């Protein structure tokens, strides 16, 4: 069985795949960032605004872990089309979410 080292058929040292260590670190961080808000909210350690802040912060950290450890955003080569597509997607999602919140907050039906 032939093994390919780099070139057109294999992956070089800077290829698009991470190491087992990178995947394990990402997996462990993902589990931790899932357990933290779950434990804090279900055991009533935080409530109301504090619970929302904990959920938001851990969600953002979870998103960054996914990008760095599983989608290999930091390892991509130039040009960074994936990063630009991601930023555009985030802008669209942020616009929809903030617009929806604004509409729900200020939507009063005139009598």
């Amino acid at each position: 069985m032939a093994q390919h080292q780099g070139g057109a058929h294999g992956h070089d040292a800077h290829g698009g795949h991470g190491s087992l260590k990178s995947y394990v670190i990402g997996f462990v961080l993902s589990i931790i960032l899932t357990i933290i808000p779950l434990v804090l909210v279900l055991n009533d350690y935080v409530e109301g605004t504090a619970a929302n802040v904990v959920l938001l912060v851990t969600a953002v950290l979870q998103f960054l872990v996914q990008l760095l450890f599983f989608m290999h955003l930091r390892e991509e080569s130039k040009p960074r089309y994936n990063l630009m597509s991601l930023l555009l997607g985030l802008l669209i999602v942020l616009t929809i979410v903030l617009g929806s919140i604004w509409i729900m907050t200020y939507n009063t039906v005139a009598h």
Side-chain angles (χ1 to χ4, degrees):
M1 189 181 243
Q3 293 183 5
H4 298 283
Q5 299 290 331
H9 299 291
H11 297 286
D12 57 18
H14 300 290
H17 297 289
S19 65
L20 178 61
K21 180 181 176 183
S22 173
Y23 286 127
V24 170
I25 291 170
F27 179 72
V28 169
L29 287 174
S30 294
I31 296 296
I32 291 170
L33 289 171
T34 301
I35 291 173
I36 289 172
L38 187 67
V39 168
L40 292 178
V41 172
L42 290 180
N43 291 320
D44 294 324
Y45 292 127
V46 292
E47 295 177 352
T49 303
N52 289 337
V53 169
V54 168
L55 290 171
L56 182 63
V57 168
T58 54
V60 169
L61 291 174
Q62 180 79 259
F63 177 69
L64 293 174
V65 166
Q66 298 295 322
L67 285 178
L68 296 176
F69 288 96
F70 298 113
M71 296 180 70
H72 312 292
L73 190 62
R74 67 174 178 236
E75 298 170 5
E76 72 180 30
S77 59
K78 295 178 185 176
R80 296 186 176 248
Y81 295 116
N82 289 340
L83 179 60
M84 297 311 262
S85 298
L86 175 69
L87 292 175
L88 177 62
L90 286 174
L91 179 66
I92 292 169
V93 167
L94 193 61
T95 301
I96 292 170
V97 169
L98 292 177
S100 298
I101 291 171
W102 183 76
I103 289 170
M104 289 186 287
T105 302
Y106 297 105
N107 184 20
T108 57
V109 178
H111 293 279

